[in-house]
Amino acid sequence: MNIGFIGYGDASFALSSGFRKEDQSIDLIAYDPMAFHSNFKELIQTRSKSENVQIVNSMEEVCKQTDLLFVAVPATKALEVAKEIKPFISEKHIYVDVTAASPEVKRKAHFEVRKSEALFVDCAMVGPLLVEKHKVPMLISGPGVEVLAEKLKNYHMNLKIISGNPGDSTAIKLVRSIYMKGFATLNIEMLQAARTFGVEDTVIEGIGHTMDGDSYESSMNRMVTGTSIHAERRSAELDGSITMLEEANIHSVMATAVKEKLDFISSFGLRDSFSGEAPEQWEDVIDSMSQSKTKR
Amino acid sequence: MNIGFIGYGDASFALSSGFRKEDQSIDLIAYDPMAFHSNFKELIQTRSKSENVQIVNSMEEVCKQTDLLFVAVPATKALEVAKEIKPFISEKHIYVDVTAASPEVKRKAHFEVRKSEALFVDCAMVGPLLVEKHKVPMLISGPGVEVLAEKLKNYHMNLKIISGNPGDSTAIKLVRSIYMKGFATLNIEMLQAARTFGVEDTVIEGIGHTMDGDSYESSMNRMVTGTSIHAERRSAELDGSITMLEEANIHSVMATAVKEKLDFISSFGLRDSFSGEAPEQWEDVIDSMSQSKTKR
C-alpha cells in the first residue's frame, strides 16, 4: 500500500500520522514546494520525519511512486494543481481533492483530472481533522468513490459515499455549515439580549417548549412554510427586536440580517401566490422563489 | 365587569370580539381619536357596533367608566398615552399596555402611570391575535399582574405571569422573536443552496442527525460554548460557503451576517481567556463578552 500527498501542511500531516498508526509498512510520499525553501521548511521536515513520510522533489515523483493521491493544498491552488498534475497521472491513479475549494472548483478540477483517465474524488472533511486524523468523517463524491472505499477499507476510516458527482460532498459540507454556524451565532445574539434583560430562563424554556417536541425536519418545515406567507408582518415585528438591541447597545448583526432576509422573501409575493395559506412543504417555498427569480 | 380600550384598531377589535363572546353583559368602552375624523372612521364604527362596544369622546370618559384599561395604540404613541392619561386614572385602574413598544418604553410608561397609583401591566402577545383573539398567549409582567389575572379568571384566557417588572414580558417576546424568525430565515437560505446543488436530502438528514438526539437547550449550549473558542476558524470556513452562494447567485445575507458575527465574537479573544478549552456553560461565554465589552 502506498499513499501520496500533494501539499504537506496540517491536513496531510494529520492524515499521514493517522495512516502510519494503522500500518507501519505503508509507503507515504509527499511533495510540497515549501519543503525546501521557506519558513515552513523546518516544520515540514520535522513532521515528515516523525511519521516516516518521504519528501520528494516533484509532483511527478509522487505520482510515479503512488496511485492514491491526497491533494491537500490551499483552496486557491486546487485547480492549478489539477492542471499541472495531468501529465503525470493515468487510469491507475485515484485523485482525492480534500481542499476547501468550492463545488464549482472541484468540478473544474475533475474535468482536468479525467483527461488523464485518473479517478477523481471530491472529499469534504466534516469534523476536527487535527483531533480525529484519518478517522475524521469524510463525505466523498465522484467517479472514484467505490475504488477509494475499497482501497482504504482496512484503515478504520469514516467515509460516507454521497454520489458519483464531484462537488456534491463539498456542497453538503458548505450548505450544512451555513446552518450549523448560523445556529450558534443566532443563539449568541439572542442570549446576549436575554441575559441583559434577565429573561434567559423563560426564553430558553419557551424556545425549548416550541422546538423539542418535534424533529428538526418538521420544525424547519413548519417555520419555513409559515414564513413564506408571513414574511412582511414578521419583518415589521422584528423592528421591535432591533430597536431593543440598539437601545441596549447589543451587537445586532444577526437580527438585522433576519429582517433583511424577511424583506427579501416577502419581495417574491408568495403570500399572493399561495393565496394567503402556507404551503405544505418547504420545497414549495424554495421552488416558488427560484421560479419567480427566473422570471424577473 | 367593564373593560376599556385606548385605541380601537385591529388589536382592540380582536380582543373586544373575544370578550363579547365570553360575556354578553360585559361593558366594553373605547376611545380612538380616529373614530370621528379619518379614513378609519367607518371601519371603527362598524367594528364597534358589531361587538357592542361604546365609542366615547375622550380618554377621560373611558377611565371614568372602566377600571381595566387595554392600551392598544401604535408603539410610537405608547409613552405619550401614558403621560396624557395620568390625570384620569387612580389606584382603582389596571393599565395594560399591549403595544409593540420596547421594554425601555414600557418601563417609562410604567413610571408615568404609577404616579397616579394605577397598576401597570406590560402585556406581550405571542401568537396570532386576529385568529385567537382574547385567547392569544399573553406574557404579562408588572405590579398589576395578580389583580389582572384574578379579574380575568373566568374569561378562558391564556395569561402567563412572568414577573413584577414592566418590560420583562416584552423583552421575552422580542428576544424570542430573534431566534424564531432567525431560525426560519437561516433555513430558507440554507435550503435554497441545498436545493440548487441537489443535496437537500443528505443535508437535512445530517442536521437532523446532529440536532434531534438532544434538547434545544443542550444543543444550544454545546454550539455556543464551542463557537466561543473556534470563532476565528469557523469564520474562515464560512468563506467557502459564502463564495459558493455567490458563485450560484443565491441571496447570502444570512451567511454573510454569520461570518460578521463570528468575527465579532472572535474579537473578544475568548479562545485565550478560556485557554483554548470550551467552557461548560453558555453563560460563561455571554458573561465574558459582556465583561470584556465593559473593559474596552
Side-chain angles (χ1 to χ4, degrees):
Chain A
M1 178 74 167
N2 58 64
I3 296 179
F5 298 95
I6 306 297
Y8 199 76
D10 287 348
S12 292
F13 174 55
L15 292 177
S16 65
S17 131
F19 289 132
R20 177 58 70 217
K21 274 206 190 66
E22 292 285 342
D23 183 352
Q24 292 298 315
S25 71
I26 197 173
D27 283 327
L28 300 173
I29 296 156
Y31 165 71
D32 191 314
M34 307 288 182
F36 305 102
H37 38 78
S38 87
N39 296 334
F40 294 101
K41 182 182 160 178
E42 214 181 292
L43 183 64
I44 293 174
Q45 297 289 350
T46 311
R47 283 172 161 187
S48 60
K49 260 177 210 143
S50 86
E51 306 305 335
N52 191 17
V53 175
Q54 182 195 348
I55 300 285
V56 296
N57 284 319
S58 65
M59 280 199 236
E60 184 175 4
E61 193 59 33
V62 177
C63 298
K64 263 188 198 158
Q65 296 197 43
T66 61
D67 47 17
L68 172 51
L69 297 169
F70 282 91
V71 177
V73 297
T76 49
K77 302 280 181 195
L79 187 53
E80 197 179 310
V81 167
K83 285 177 180 167
E84 282 179 23
I85 211 167
K86 271 187 295 182
F88 317 125
I89 55 178
S90 63
E91 73 283 352
K92 76 159 188 166
H93 287 99
I94 310 171
Y95 181 105
V96 185
D97 181 333
V98 301
T99 71
S102 71
E104 186 61 24
V105 170
K106 298 253 177 171
R107 279 189 291 265
K108 285 180 179 161
H110 166 236
F111 185 78
E112 296 298 329
V113 166
R114 77 176 178 193
K115 290 178 190 164
S116 307
E117 291 178 24
L119 287 170
F120 185 91
V121 173
D122 166 19
C123 174
M125 297 182 287
V126 289
L129 173 69
L130 297 180
V131 179
E132 302 191 24
K133 304 202 166 72
H134 68 306
K135 290 181 180 170
V136 74
M138 293 178 175
L139 310 177
I140 54 174
S141 68
V145 288
E146 309 278 348
V147 183
L148 178 69
E150 174 62 24
K151 223 176 164 67
L152 293 172
K153 69 175 180 212
N154 294 325
Y155 286 83
H156 306 101
M157 292 174 73
N158 191 353
L159 300 175
K160 185 171 181 190
I161 294 181
I162 300 296
S163 74
N165 306 317
D168 281 2
S169 300
T170 293
I172 289 166
K173 176 184 176 171
L174 295 179
V175 168
R176 178 190 157 87
S177 184
I178 298 171
Y179 180 78
M180 296 309 296
K181 295 182 171 76
F183 177 81
T185 57
L186 187 63
N187 274 298
I188 288 176
E189 189 157 308
M190 181 277 280
L191 292 168
Q192 198 170 19
R195 188 94 165 150
T196 302
F197 291 100
V199 297
E200 58 267 47
D201 292 347
T202 318
V203 171
I204 293 170
E205 191 198 318
I207 297 176
H209 184 76
T210 307
M211 307 299 284
D212 286 344
D214 247 342
S215 68
Y216 159 74
E217 184 168 358
S218 161
S219 306
M220 175 277 279
N221 195 65
R222 192 174 65 253
M223 306 285 179
V224 166
T225 52
T227 294
S228 72
I229 59 163
H230 296 304
E232 191 176 350
R233 170 167 63 75
R234 289 182 185 171
S235 166
E237 287 168 4
L238 209 60
D239 284 332
S241 304
I242 294 172
T243 305
M244 178 186 71
L245 293 175
E246 284 169 355
E247 280 176 1
N249 206 20
I250 296 168
H251 191 254
S252 59
V253 65
M254 294 302 299
T256 307
V258 173
K259 181 177 166 66
E260 199 177 326
K261 191 80 185 179
L262 287 168
D263 290 342
F264 173 74
I265 294 161
S266 98
S267 78
F268 289 88
L270 299 180
R271 193 182 173 75
D272 288 343
S273 320
F274 296 141
S275 310
E277 209 162 324
E280 299 238 323
Q281 297 297 336
W282 68 263
E283 289 93 335
D284 300 328
V285 178
I286 301 299
D287 292 348
S288 296
M289 286 172 69
S290 302
Q291 284 153 20
S292 162
K293 207 170 163 187
T294 316
K295 272 184 227 152
R296 278 182 188 176
Chain B
M1 180 72 168
N2 59 65
I3 296 179
F5 298 95
I6 308 297
Y8 198 74
D10 287 348
S12 293
F13 173 55
L15 292 176
S16 66
S17 132
F19 289 133
R20 177 57 70 215
K21 274 209 189 64
E22 292 284 342
D23 183 352
Q24 292 297 317
S25 72
I26 197 172
D27 283 328
L28 300 173
I29 296 155
Y31 165 70
D32 192 313
M34 307 287 182
F36 304 101
H37 38 77
S38 86
N39 296 334
F40 294 101
K41 183 182 158 177
E42 215 181 290
L43 183 64
I44 293 174
Q45 296 290 350
T46 312
R47 284 173 161 187
S48 60
K49 261 177 208 142
S50 87
E51 306 305 336
N52 191 17
V53 175
Q54 184 194 346
I55 300 285
V56 296
N57 284 318
S58 65
M59 278 200 236
E60 185 175 5
E61 194 60 34
V62 178
C63 297
K64 262 187 198 159
Q65 296 195 44
T66 61
D67 47 17
L68 174 51
L69 299 167
F70 282 90
V71 178
V73 296
T76 49
K77 302 281 182 197
L79 186 54
E80 196 179 310
V81 167
K83 285 177 181 168
E84 282 179 23
I85 211 167
K86 269 188 294 180
F88 317 126
I89 54 175
S90 63
E91 73 282 353
K92 77 158 187 166
H93 287 98
I94 310 171
Y95 181 108
V96 186
D97 181 332
V98 301
T99 71
S102 72
E104 185 61 25
V105 170
K106 299 253 177 171
R107 278 189 291 266
K108 284 181 180 160
H110 167 238
F111 185 77
E112 296 299 328
V113 166
R114 77 176 177 193
K115 289 178 190 163
S116 306
E117 291 180 22
L119 287 171
F120 185 92
V121 173
D122 166 19
C123 175
M125 297 181 289
V126 288
L129 174 68
L130 298 179
V131 179
E132 302 192 23
K133 304 204 167 70
H134 68 306
K135 289 181 181 171
V136 74
M138 292 177 174
L139 310 178
I140 54 174
S141 67
V145 288
E146 309 278 348
V147 185
L148 179 70
E150 174 61 26
K151 223 176 164 68
L152 294 172
K153 71 176 178 210
N154 294 325
Y155 285 82
H156 306 101
M157 293 174 69
N158 192 352
L159 302 174
K160 184 171 182 191
I161 294 181
I162 299 298
S163 74
N165 306 317
D168 281 2
S169 300
T170 293
I172 288 166
K173 176 184 176 170
L174 295 178
V175 167
R176 178 190 157 85
S177 185
I178 298 170
Y179 179 79
M180 296 308 296
K181 295 181 170 75
F183 177 81
T185 56
L186 188 63
N187 274 296
I188 287 175
E189 189 156 308
M190 181 277 280
L191 291 167
Q192 200 170 17
R195 189 92 164 150
T196 302
F197 290 99
V199 296
E200 60 266 47
D201 293 346
T202 318
V203 171
I204 293 170
E205 191 199 318
I207 297 177
H209 184 76
T210 307
M211 307 299 283
D212 286 344
D214 244 344
S215 69
Y216 160 73
E217 183 166 359
S218 161
S219 306
M220 175 276 279
N221 195 67
R222 190 175 66 252
M223 305 285 178
V224 167
T225 52
T227 295
S228 72
I229 59 163
H230 296 304
E232 191 176 349
R233 170 166 62 76
R234 289 181 184 171
S235 166
E237 286 168 4
L238 210 60
D239 284 333
S241 303
I242 294 172
T243 304
M244 178 187 69
L245 294 175
E246 285 169 355
E247 280 176 1
N249 206 20
I250 296 168
H251 191 254
S252 60
V253 64
M254 295 302 300
T256 307
V258 173
K259 181 176 167 67
E260 199 177 326
K261 190 80 185 180
L262 287 169
D263 289 342
F264 174 74
I265 295 161
S266 100
S267 78
F268 289 89
L270 299 179
R271 194 181 171 77
D272 288 343
S273 321
F274 296 142
S275 309
E277 208 162 325
E280 300 238 323
Q281 298 297 333
W282 67 264
E283 290 92 335
D284 299 328
V285 178
I286 302 299
D287 293 348
S288 295
M289 286 171 68
S290 303
Q291 284 153 20
S292 161
K293 208 170 163 186
T294 316
K295 270 184 229 152
R296 276 181 190 179

